[in-house]
Amino acid sequence: MADEPTLSNLSTETRSFPPSAEFAAQANATEEWYARAEADREAFWAEQAERLHWNQKWEKVLDWQPPFAKWFVGGKLNVAYNCVDRHVEAGYGDQVAFHWEGEPGDTRTITYADLKREVCKTANALASLGVKAGDRVAIQLPMIPEAVFSMLACARLGAMHSVVFGGFSASALKARIEDAECKLLITSDGQFRRGKPAPMKENADQAVEGTTIEHVLVVKRTEADVPWTEGRDIWWHDLVDKQSDEHTPEAFDSEHPLFILYTSGTTGKPKGILHTSGGYLTQAAYTHHVVFDHKPGESVYWCTADIGWVTGHSYIVYGPLANRATSVMYEGTPNTPHEGRHWEIVQKYGVTIYYTAPTLIRTFMKWGSDIPAKYDLSSLRVLGSVGEPINPEAWMWYREHVGRNNCPIVDTWWQTETGAIMISPLPGVTVAKPGSAMRPLPGISAEVVNDDGKPVGKGNGGYLVLDKPWPSMLRGIWGDEQRYRETYWSRFAEQGYYFAGDGAKYDEDGAIWLLGRVDDVMNVSGHRISTTEVESALVSHPAVAEAAVVGASDPTTGQGIVAFVILRGNVARDEASGTEMIKELRDHVAKEIGPIAKPRQIMVVEELPKTRSGKIMRRLLRDVAENREIGDVTTLADSTVMDLIAKGLKEGT
Ligand code: 6R9
């Protein structure tokens, strides 16, 4: 194996890919945008806000009283009108808004005219249940069109939605309902996952018990028998179908709350991130336009995220619809009924823009490049990545086997808190490097600073901060101003920087490389080593399919590096080759990064614990690595994975 080529890792990556002249000639953005935004940031954002329809124009672009921002002050708009009605009024009622593909193979085509009717009916139904501006509505739904109708109906009424992942437990749902004091829950009888119907309504029943929920609105999806509470529970088809399909939208203040979305923090209690209307929609629309080079009426756009994640909010619902996109929405898992399902969908609808997460790209790699090779992917023009740092090898694989070496890749860094994309290459403009998010978008300002908040400069690493306010920034943590100040604004209070919680470094050219959460940065004998760097090195070995690395406390070195690896299907697994392989992998990491990065321990596993959004839960792996009892597993996509790992390790010893 020693003479097989190894792909480089983050530290040694030097490849770069300039845009083709052909792509550059037709790109939505140009290099000039950076300078224009830099010259007058507020004027630049005002220009972007013109993408929207305002019932009343703003008086002031920005009112910044750190850490509280107001954008487009005095402006009034309706977010749902911007995403739906105005396109119908402009004559695009027949354009497809969603090609929806159910997991079992059923499909629905929803035009903008259909979407308008459905959103109006849903808004009327919600109003009939007493939902009004300022109320909170919890939504736990599978990836079905009713999820979009529900979100837009809330926006239309000025009510806030709080979307909760379909896979979250009853207790997770309950905690979120209680925190936001929601009035209504919208859910379904069940959902299709991996070819089988799974129940949902039972979960909802447990969750709403003893809360402020007055009604549960239930969409029929799997036709499963469900428990029913008369008076409280209402079938969607009974209530929504009989409503008028006309509804006059009201214009709300630019700073009117749009939604709450919960995300995990360093403590056990999830944070309810609050977003508002005008600034959020402006940045969602602007970024979707420039980062994906979206052409209304021509592009076929597919973001594979779940609606319960911020990516689903900004890049399935608000950004694309504000830009009159034609989108694909897919209900199920990527290997149901076969591992080529995504490529089959790309081929079927002629998808031109595909936006997914590195964890899925690595899964596709594991399944093999012969699978995408069976399909016609020639419609693809732009590929996107989001959610975690993408290792150069996965980037290269994506480029070659999905993009046929012909599509710009946009590695988009952002967070639930930032609301929309912040750091990303621009297709047709940026010379991209595999694994780098490159540069803040025009209008956005970021820095990498040291412990004292001083910029580290080219070639160095530190903490990623946002040093200027941006339109789609969070407006707070629901009901907890103190936590908002502490979590994001206290670390660099003196400088007034937003602390993102991510490590990053500048390369010699000044491009930004994200290094993972700072809480995932290990300190080994005083050396700062990113879990991502070690993972990237491991994955660059031909025998490794996936890797997760944690820092486990170590009496001599502070922290020791512990790696969990999934081997590729063709690697021999008997004991002798296992021991040999582990030695080889340790040496490989030492060779790629340096002896200091050599993992103390490497454990071969079959699965890694991941959240529904694909993030590896290193906290749980740290529990294993430090021989502790395993902590809370409720946010795992599959809670049995930890049992498998624990069992595998016991058998291995
Ligand atoms: C959109 C989203 C945010 C955290 C963020 C960072 C990681 C997201 C990334 C990335 C490196 C990228 N992250 N995109 N890291 N490169 N392109 O993922 O929101 O679920 O709130 O997670 O995800 O660590 O701080 P969210």
Side-chain angles (χ1 to χ4, degrees):
M1 201 161 280
D3 56 4
E4 284 212 22
T6 49
L7 288 156
S8 30
N9 64 26
L10 286 179
S11 329
T12 56
E13 182 56 54
T14 53
R15 291 167 290 198
S16 64
F17 297 90
S20 72
E22 195 190 342
F23 196 105
Q26 58 78 67
N28 286 350
T30 61
E31 180 67 36
E32 184 269 330
W33 287 46
Y34 291 100
R36 191 169 88 239
E38 197 57 43
D40 190 341
R41 198 171 298 275
E42 292 187 18
F44 178 82
W45 283 116
E47 182 189 316
Q48 301 314 319
E50 297 289 358
R51 297 176 183 281
L52 308 181
H53 172 85
W54 296 82
N55 297 67
Q56 189 175 306
K57 181 134 184 203
W58 59 88
E59 287 144 19
K60 199 174 170 204
V61 173
L62 171 66
D63 174 2
W64 178 223
Q65 319 261 347
F68 298 100
K70 288 188 182 136
W71 281 88
F72 310 113
V73 184
K76 282 194 192 321
L77 78 171
N78 185 288
V79 169
Y81 175 84
N82 271 282
C83 291
V84 186
D85 307 44
R86 66 170 170 146
H87 305 316
V88 179
E89 287 168 17
Y92 298 105
D94 291 338
Q95 185 186 318
V96 174
F98 288 103
H99 292 291
W100 178 79
E101 180 95 6
E103 197 188 72
D106 50 337
T107 60
R108 282 165 78 179
T109 306
I110 297 155
T111 64
Y112 274 93
D114 297 332
L115 186 62
K116 177 169 178 260
R117 283 190 287 271
E118 296 301 332
V119 172
C120 286
K121 287 198 298 190
T122 311
N124 285 324
L126 265 51
S128 79
L129 295 175
V131 173
K132 49 185 190 329
D135 286 345
R136 276 82 57 206
V137 174
I139 301 174
Q140 186 176 45
L141 282 172
M143 289 289 290
I144 55 177
E146 285 78 4
V148 179
F149 306 158
S150 300
M151 290 165 76
L152 291 171
C154 288
R156 198 174 184 93
L157 296 171
M160 284 166 254
H161 52 73
S162 164
V163 182
V164 179
F165 261 141
F168 270 169
S169 66
S171 59
L173 176 58
K174 191 189 192 87
R176 285 158 178 77
I177 288 172
E178 283 177 336
D179 187 69
E181 298 176 289
C182 298
K183 192 171 196 172
L184 173 71
L185 169 65
I186 308 178
T187 188
S188 71
D189 54 353
Q191 60 179 330
F192 289 105
R193 295 300 289 176
R194 294 175 216 286
K196 285 195 295 275
M200 258 185 127
K201 172 69 166 55
E202 286 79 353
N203 208 41
D205 283 351
Q206 273 182 48
V208 301
E209 191 69 34
T211 66
T212 43
I213 292 289
E214 293 165 13
H215 290 288
V216 181
L217 188 57
V218 190
V219 180
K220 191 165 262 185
R221 172 64 186 133
T222 59
E223 309 272 338
D225 281 334
V226 292
W228 204 253
T229 303
E230 281 307 328
R232 185 196 69 188
D233 299 348
I234 304 160
W235 283 112
W236 176 284
H237 56 267
D238 282 344
L239 183 71
V240 178
D241 288 1
K242 69 177 188 208
Q243 303 293 324
S244 153
D245 60 12
E246 283 178 29
H247 176 272
T248 310
E250 188 187 331
F252 295 101
D253 194 273
S254 177
E255 282 300 330
H256 189 79
L258 181 63
F259 65 83
I260 303 171
L261 184 59
Y262 287 84
T263 182
S264 46
T266 44
T267 70
K269 190 175 184 290
K271 302 175 282 196
I273 303 302
L274 177 68
H275 283 287
T276 62
S277 306
Y280 170 80
L281 195 62
T282 295
Q283 196 174 329
Y286 155 66
T287 52
H288 176 262
H289 178 76
V290 294
V291 173
F292 300 112
D293 199 47
H294 176 261
K295 315 280 193 225
E298 283 174 41
S299 302
V300 179
Y301 165 83
W302 182 15
C303 165
T304 70
D306 192 284
I307 217 120
W309 187 30
V310 72
T311 305
H313 284 56
S314 304
Y315 297 106
I316 292 178
V317 182
Y318 293 110
L321 291 175
N323 290 340
R324 187 168 49 85
T326 293
S327 295
V328 168
M329 181 174 178
Y330 172 55
E331 179 183 35
T333 41
N335 52 350
T336 308
H338 57 81
E339 291 169 349
R341 185 74 191 262
H342 274 217
W343 316 126
E344 189 178 75
I345 294 173
V346 168
Q347 176 178 295
K348 177 173 174 186
Y349 295 105
V351 170
T352 63
I353 305 164
Y354 179 78
Y355 188 31
T356 195
T359 180
L360 193 57
I361 298 167
R362 290 193 298 265
T363 304
F364 291 142
M365 287 172 74
K366 194 163 66 182
W367 292 342
S369 49
D370 51 318
I371 295 173
K374 284 188 216 142
Y375 297 87
D376 178 5
L377 306 181
S378 61
S379 56
L380 290 169
R381 294 183 64 248
V382 178
L383 304 177
S385 171
V386 59
E388 50 172 324
I390 178 167
N391 47 295
E393 204 205 357
W395 198 101
M396 291 301 295
W397 188 92
Y398 197 26
R399 179 180 151 84
E400 184 179 342
H401 297 286
V402 181
R404 307 157 335 277
N405 296 318
N406 198 25
C407 298
I409 297 181
V410 288
D411 173 11
T412 63
W413 179 89
W414 58 295
Q415 309 177 297
T416 305
E417 292 87 341
T418 69
I421 298 170
M422 303 291 283
I423 306 177
S424 168
L426 283 177
V429 179
T430 312
V431 179
K433 301 183 183 187
S436 171
M438 301 303 297
R439 179 177 180 188
L441 290 178
I444 299 299
S445 184
E447 257 299 356
V448 181
V449 300
N450 65 16
D451 271 318
D452 304 324
K454 299 253 168 23
V456 295
K458 287 181 183 171
N460 298 307
Y463 305 103
L464 181 72
V465 298
L466 302 167
D467 58 350
K468 303 233 165 60
W470 64 101
S472 64
M473 67 191 282
L474 77 166
R475 300 301 197 262
I477 295 177
W478 182 255
D480 202 342
E481 186 182 315
Q482 196 49 31
R483 193 173 179 198
Y484 171 65
R485 289 179 185 277
E486 268 163 27
T487 311
Y488 306 108
W489 303 95
S490 66
R491 180 68 182 78
F492 297 107
E494 207 178 299
Q495 297 82 0
Y497 294 163
Y498 168 89
F499 175 56
D502 279 19
K505 71 178 182 200
Y506 288 120
D507 66 16
E508 296 299 337
D509 301 326
I512 297 176
W513 297 72
L514 275 308
L515 299 174
R517 301 289 307 180
V518 238
D519 25 18
D520 290 336
V521 172
M522 303 169 289
N523 192 323
V524 183
S525 305
H527 295 268
R528 210 180 269 169
I529 300 165
S530 151
T531 52
T532 313
E533 273 177 316
V534 182
E535 284 166 10
S536 188
L538 283 166
V539 177
S540 76
H541 189 282
V544 177
E546 270 206 78
V549 166
V550 297
S553 61
D554 186 285
T556 35
T557 58
Q559 280 187 311
I561 302 174
V562 179
F564 295 79
V565 297
I566 304 180
L567 297 179
R568 286 189 192 243
N570 56 357
V571 179
R573 275 149 213 265
D574 59 83
E575 209 181 296
S577 63
T579 319
E580 188 56 30
M581 175 58 65
I582 285 171
K583 182 177 177 302
E584 187 174 323
L585 291 179
R586 294 183 72 229
D587 291 344
H588 178 73
V589 175
K591 190 176 117 243
E592 291 288 311
I593 306 175
I596 185 71
K598 205 170 180 168
R600 182 181 80 184
Q601 200 179 358
I602 296 183
M603 307 191 198
V604 176
V605 295
E606 294 297 323
E607 290 286 347
L608 290 170
K610 286 179 191 161
T611 63
R612 279 286 300 270
S613 61
K615 290 195 174 58
I616 293 169
M617 292 195 69
R618 292 198 176 71
R619 172 170 63 79
L620 299 177
L621 292 175
R622 225 172 281 132
D623 290 345
V624 174
E626 298 183 349
N627 278 323
R628 262 197 311 272
E629 209 183 319
I630 291 163
D632 183 18
V633 294
T634 53
T635 53
L636 278 183
D638 178 357
S639 57
T640 59
V641 166
M642 288 315 295
D643 298 336
L644 264 177
I645 291 178
K647 190 165 156 272
L649 294 178
K650 236 175 245 139
E651 280 169 5
T653 48

